[in-house]
Amino acid sequence: MPEPAMKRYYITTPIYYVNSAPHIGTALTTIVADACARFQKRRGRAVYFLTGTDENAPKVHRVAQERGVPTQQFVDEMAEVFERTWRALNIEYDVFIRTTEERHKRVVSEVFRRLRAQGDIYKGSYQGWYCVSCETFFASSKVDESKTCPDCGKPLEWRDEPCYYFRLSAYEARLREHIKANPDFILPETRRKEALGFINEGLQDVAVSRTGSDWGVPVPDDPESGVVYVWFDALLNYLTATGWLERGEAYLDTWPPDLQLMGKDILPRFHATIWPAMLMALGLPLPERLYGHGWWIVNKQKMSKSLGNVYAPLEVAQSLSDAAGCELRYAVDAFRYYQLREMPTDADAEFSLEGFEARYNGDLANDLGNLLHRTLSMMHRYFGGRVPDGARLDAGLADLFAQQAARVTEAYEAVDFPRGLREAWQIIGAVNRYYDEQAPWTLMKQGNAERAGQVLYAGLIAARLLSALVEPVMPQVAREIVRQLALDEVPTWSDAAQMNALPAGHILQQPTPIFPRLQAKQPSPTSQAPVASASPPTSQAPVASASSPTSQAQQGATTMQNTITIDDFKRLEIRIATVKAAEPVPKSTKLLKLILDVGGEERVIVAGIAEDYTPEQVVGKQIPVLVNLQPALIRGIVSEGMMLAADVDGKAVLLHPDREVPSGSGVR
Ligand code: MSP
């Protein structure tokens, strides 16, 4: 096989059945693939990322019939729903393949003919049990009294018909050898063991034609035998997309795949056996790596329409955006972050809105968002937003950053995003500890601006490095970080490790919160409910969603009595802030915008005191502020808290501590 001049990094997702719209499970495989593709691109590789839709399945045809829509129209609409969803989730695929495309049907027919001509496909007859939902035949030995599918539990149908078989059994020994000789062929290790276990049970020839419906690719030269088995058809999409059959040797600029991603359900039986055996029969190189992730479960159960626990990805992102007041594009990124940070690898994992919100508030608002915000705020307050002369990263931190970047690289390469993100977040922890130890605010008070600049430079370099490390996961957030750092673009993977990349005199943008904090919500009976069910393709109307966390909080706030418990009070975080700057809010007679120092952290709030105080009267004053109030957008300004004042006949009267206290002191 000639070595192609420039092999692209070829990465695939499974192609999705279009009988229902995308949900968080199908989104998982796609988001993992997108993160891998973006990571490889950032490392300078030419990437070819394939996804698409599996449209020839009998179950797709059945659902179209149930809805009374012509099947072709149904699959056209559903393919559109998938493409729209992936675009909205920022999935940057290169090709979206559909198995109803003519070029794909040609490949399926040609492969069928070739394998039949060489004896790897032969005609026989089939008697046995068939699961329409899984599109799979089961040997009688695998079926018990209930005559239900061993995989999905649905009733099986008895079939007795002539059919073609693929000689899978002939490849059993070669497959086993290949898996044993290539420890990275199937990942993670649990899946490799599962696949070997499946093969060791003995591989039987697979029925690769089906009668009963004419939806699909007709068996070539023998239409009486029905259509080609949908899995035999679908797996070949990976080959069609390279231009095999059409582009001569040029398809080798992509083939073989470097990484094929999928869920655990379709690895042993299909991707680790039938698929490589088909390629062996065709004399083609096998994929380098197959990665099978675990499943999302909801309330400890498999998601299903009948249980009503199916989450739609965009609705999950939208509900966070509504509740937190966070821009939708960043809420989408937060959703991608949650998917990858909690990604089920070996075992299945529980998906919950509470888990998502906790990651949002903790990792994104408190850690990443706050690091950027406080660093830029202090740079503006102390240095007018200009990188001071002579600022360099301390050697110890430079080593730590480089070491963490290498660890992230290694983890992403192994498709271990939970580990990669944990390693990236170590950088944030290190900078926060460094700030606490070095206390740049105290250094400033002591007149040591040079050292304070040095310390804050670590935060800037960390933010720049993090923009690159999080880009595969949160592309929009990465871009916003570099915008606030006043850089043109997210640094490439190798450039990100440059530790003194921001020159003296570089002017930074004003900080803008990316992830406003989400308020703790009142427990509500609906808080466990999924936000949406997958929408049918024929309806453009938004599907019903449970009440958003904001409205739940508002409902919960209506109490029967006007008393609260001490625990209620403890939920309020009131701190003493020093007013650093104040200005009237344009086009308002009542509002002032206040810039506060809340102990090394800068906050902006909008206060309704303009009729009682001028900006000059409040600058320098210390005031109590409720800092864990849900941020609100007031006249285009994100207000991150509320000042407390006495109310005297409708007029605000400021409250002050009885002597000056450190900014950020708690109030009890
Ligand atoms: N059409 C076949 C694949 C053919 S590939 C040649 C198929 N489609 S699917 O739509 O049912 O599933 C597609 C992918 O979504 C699979 O990787 C599957 O594992 C994944 N998931 C579906 N539900 C899932 C969860 N609840 N959790 C995680 N992933 C799951 O199979």
Side-chain angles (χ1 to χ4, degrees):
M1 198 69 65
E3 194 55 32
M6 259 238 323
K7 165 83 173 69
R8 298 184 286 185
Y9 189 91
Y10 183 24
I11 179 168
T12 70
T13 71
I15 47 171
Y16 301 101
Y17 290 130
V18 291
N19 49 326
S20 56
H23 53 66
I24 51 164
T26 39
L28 173 68
T29 321
T30 322
I31 289 172
V32 174
D34 189 60
C36 291
R38 287 174 183 273
F39 166 60
Q40 296 297 344
K41 272 188 246 178
R42 300 217 71 75
R43 301 181 80 193
R45 297 195 177 150
V47 170
Y48 189 64
F49 169 16
L50 169 76
T51 189
T53 40
D54 186 352
E55 304 179 0
N56 295 327
K59 64 178 163 194
V60 169
H61 180 50
R62 208 181 44 237
V63 172
Q65 285 181 320
E66 282 163 14
R67 299 209 180 152
V69 184
T71 309
Q72 190 59 51
Q73 181 190 326
F74 175 71
V75 296
D76 288 348
E77 287 172 356
M78 283 308 278
E80 171 68 31
V81 170
F82 272 81
E83 285 213 72
R84 257 206 325 262
T85 307
W86 299 152
R87 276 198 300 269
L89 289 175
N90 260 310
I91 308 294
E92 229 176 43
Y93 50 77
D94 296 289
V95 182
F96 188 92
I97 194 167
R98 298 180 53 191
T99 51
T100 46
E101 288 172 46
E102 284 309 316
R103 63 176 180 143
H104 176 68
K105 291 181 178 172
R106 276 198 297 277
V107 167
V108 174
S109 304
E110 176 60 20
V111 170
F112 199 97
R113 274 197 193 100
R114 280 192 199 182
L115 299 194
R116 186 171 53 190
Q118 70 190 43
D120 274 310
I121 287 182
Y122 62 91
K123 199 162 186 178
S125 66
Y126 185 81
Q127 281 189 328
W129 294 101
Y130 183 61
C131 174
V132 184
S133 180
C134 299
E135 328 281 10
T136 307
F137 283 112
F138 291 96
S140 294
S141 59
K142 297 257 162 80
V143 176
D144 65 18
E145 294 288 276
S146 67
K147 307 292 181 245
T148 51
C149 173
D151 283 357
C152 75
K154 294 196 179 132
L156 294 168
E157 286 176 12
W158 178 255
R159 294 275 172 105
D160 183 353
E161 57 198 29
C163 85
Y164 282 96
Y165 282 91
F166 170 55
R167 215 177 279 286
L168 179 62
S169 58
Y171 293 93
E172 182 180 318
R174 273 179 71 187
L175 280 171
R176 193 180 294 112
E177 281 319 302
H178 186 83
I179 296 171
K180 285 192 173 156
N182 296 280
D184 278 354
F185 179 52
I186 299 177
L187 296 170
E189 184 58 22
T190 6
R191 302 286 170 257
R192 184 168 179 264
K193 289 197 179 122
E194 276 167 19
L196 277 172
F198 183 76
I199 293 171
N200 288 339
E201 280 177 23
L203 294 182
Q204 297 182 353
D205 293 352
V206 186
V208 289
S209 64
R210 297 284 188 276
T211 53
S213 139
D214 60 359
W215 180 252
V217 183
V219 172
D221 319 314
D222 186 4
E224 295 290 291
S225 290
V227 294
V228 174
Y229 172 43
V230 68
W231 270 99
F232 188 88
D233 155 346
L235 287 162
L236 287 169
N237 87 88
Y238 305 130
L239 196 52
T240 306
T242 66
W244 182 79
L245 207 62
E246 286 172 348
R247 299 176 62 227
E249 296 282 280
Y251 83 97
L252 288 170
D253 62 11
T254 305
W255 193 265
D258 294 272
L259 178 62
Q260 298 208 268
L261 292 157
M262 71 221 65
K264 61 175 190 178
D265 53 320
I266 58 175
L267 195 135
R269 192 189 293 282
F270 302 108
H271 284 84
T273 47
I274 304 178
W275 172 228
M278 286 164 71
L279 294 172
M280 285 174 176
L282 286 167
L284 294 176
L286 302 193
E288 293 291 329
R289 294 191 297 164
L290 304 173
Y291 184 97
H293 58 71
W295 269 42
W296 282 127
I297 48 171
V298 174
N299 295 332
K300 303 197 171 51
Q301 281 174 301
K302 201 172 157 177
M303 277 189 295
S304 83
K305 275 190 242 167
S306 51
L307 288 174
N309 61 356
V310 181
Y311 283 98
L314 294 177
E315 304 236 345
V316 173
Q318 183 70 57
S319 78
L320 177 83
S321 167
D322 292 345
C326 152
E327 272 188 52
L328 183 59
R329 59 190 163 143
Y330 304 139
V332 162
D333 271 5
F335 173 73
R336 291 172 57 112
Y337 175 81
Y338 177 63
Q339 287 260 1
L340 291 161
R341 178 65 182 76
E342 301 276 338
M343 163 187 171
T345 51
D346 293 305
D348 293 343
E350 179 75 23
F351 183 98
S352 72
L353 291 186
E354 288 74 12
F356 177 33
E357 291 168 2
R359 283 277 169 220
Y360 173 82
N361 257 0
D363 300 8
L364 300 181
N366 289 350
D367 295 344
L368 181 61
N370 193 38
L371 172 74
L372 180 69
H373 198 82
R374 72 193 292 215
T375 303
L376 287 178
S377 302
M378 288 190 274
M379 287 302 302
H380 277 276
R381 195 173 324 132
Y382 303 149
F383 301 104
R386 183 184 166 279
V387 174
D389 294 337
R392 287 189 68 79
L393 192 61
D394 282 358
L397 275 183
D399 288 348
L400 183 115
F401 288 4
Q403 170 196 298
Q404 290 313 114
R407 289 184 175 167
V408 173
T409 310
E410 195 264 313
Y412 284 5
E413 188 64 57
V415 198
D416 193 343
F417 287 95
R419 177 156 60 89
L421 290 167
R422 275 200 308 273
E423 298 291 3
W425 256 242
Q426 295 285 332
I427 295 172
I428 302 175
V431 175
N432 280 335
R433 281 193 301 278
Y434 183 65
Y435 281 0
D436 288 347
E437 284 157 22
Q438 303 287 326
W441 42 92
T442 310
L443 290 167
M444 285 307 288
K445 276 191 197 137
Q446 293 164 344
N448 194 349
E450 192 184 332
R451 180 66 193 148
Q454 188 99 357
V455 171
L456 292 175
Y457 193 67
L460 294 178
I461 292 298
R464 179 180 177 275
L465 172 59
L466 284 161
S467 75
L469 300 183
V470 304
E471 198 277 348
V473 178
M474 297 190 285
Q476 299 283 352
V477 167
R479 240 161 267 150
E480 177 58 13
I481 295 174
V482 294
R483 189 196 66 75
Q484 296 196 22
L485 291 174
L487 296 171
D488 291 338
E489 53 193 24
V490 179
T492 63
W493 208 258
S494 52
D495 187 38
Q498 206 195 316
M499 295 302 168
N500 291 299
L502 291 165
H506 179 84
I507 307 282
L508 302 157
Q509 294 287 341
Q510 286 289 345
T512 323
I514 305 176
F515 304 113
R517 274 186 200 80
L518 189 64
Q519 276 297 94
K521 62 182 170 195
Q522 302 288 321
S524 116
T526 53
S527 65
Q528 292 300 315
V531 288
S533 62
S535 56
T538 42
S539 121
Q540 293 300 310
V543 285
S545 63
S547 54
S548 73
T550 331
S551 59
Q552 284 163 18
Q554 281 158 0
Q555 284 157 17
T558 316
T559 49
M560 298 299 287
Q561 295 169 279
N562 199 17
T563 57
I564 62 168
T565 66
I566 188 69
D567 285 338
D568 290 334
F569 177 74
K570 280 184 185 158
R571 294 182 52 225
L572 305 179
E573 194 183 336
I574 302 171
R575 300 197 167 276
I576 298 297
T578 308
V579 183
K580 291 292 178 200
E583 59 187 51
V585 172
K587 297 196 193 120
S588 161
T589 50
K590 296 194 173 145
L591 301 174
L592 286 187
K593 173 179 164 185
L594 307 182
I595 299 180
L596 308 175
D597 176 0
V598 193
E601 187 198 336
E602 191 173 275
R603 288 275 181 127
V604 173
I605 66 167
V606 175
I609 54 170
E611 289 176 340
D612 310 310
Y613 292 90
T614 62
E616 296 69 38
Q617 285 175 311
V618 290
V619 172
K621 295 272 162 40
Q622 293 202 305
I623 51 170
V625 174
L626 178 62
V627 291
N628 65 340
L629 183 69
Q630 180 171 359
L633 195 62
I634 304 174
R635 305 273 166 134
I637 301 166
V638 180
S639 179
E640 298 177 280
M642 181 174 80
M643 67 172 282
L644 304 180
D647 181 348
V648 183
D649 298 332
K651 286 188 176 303
V653 178
L654 295 194
L655 305 172
H656 306 299
D658 131 281
R659 61 187 165 81
E660 190 176 337
V661 297
S663 298
S665 300
V667 172
R668 48 189 178 139

